[in-house]
Amino acid sequence: MKKKTNAKREAYAKKEEEKGKKIVGWIFGGLIALAVIYLIWTFSMMA
């Protein structure tokens, strides 16, 4: 019984870790995209 609970807990932890990594990737990707857009906007204002 205890082994079954541990296995479920480990599977849940692994799934949550994968979700967390995916979210962090999206956040960093969004920040990089915003930085590129800001650079383009800044250079277009200077020209």
Side-chain angles (χ1 to χ4, degrees), residues 32-43:
I32 291 170
L34 286 172
V36 169
I37 291 168
Y38 179 72
L39 283 172
I40 292 169
W41 179 74
T42 302
F43 285 120

Side-chain angles (χ1 to χ4, degrees), residues 10-21:
E10 287 176 13
Y12 179 75
K14 185 177 180 183
K15 192 183 344 177
E16 287 294 306
E17 183 180 352
E18 289 175 8
K19 281 184 185 178
K21 286 181 180 179

Side-chain angles (χ1 to χ4, degrees), residues 2-27:
K2 200 171 193 179
K3 288 182 182 181
K4 189 175 182 182
T5 306
N6 264 351
K8 281 185 178 180
R9 199 173 286 163
E10 287 176 13
Y12 179 75
K14 185 177 180 183
K15 192 183 344 177
E16 287 294 306
E17 183 180 352
E18 289 175 8
K19 281 184 185 178
K21 286 181 180 179
K22 191 179 227 183
I23 290 171
V24 169
W26 275 102
I27 290 171

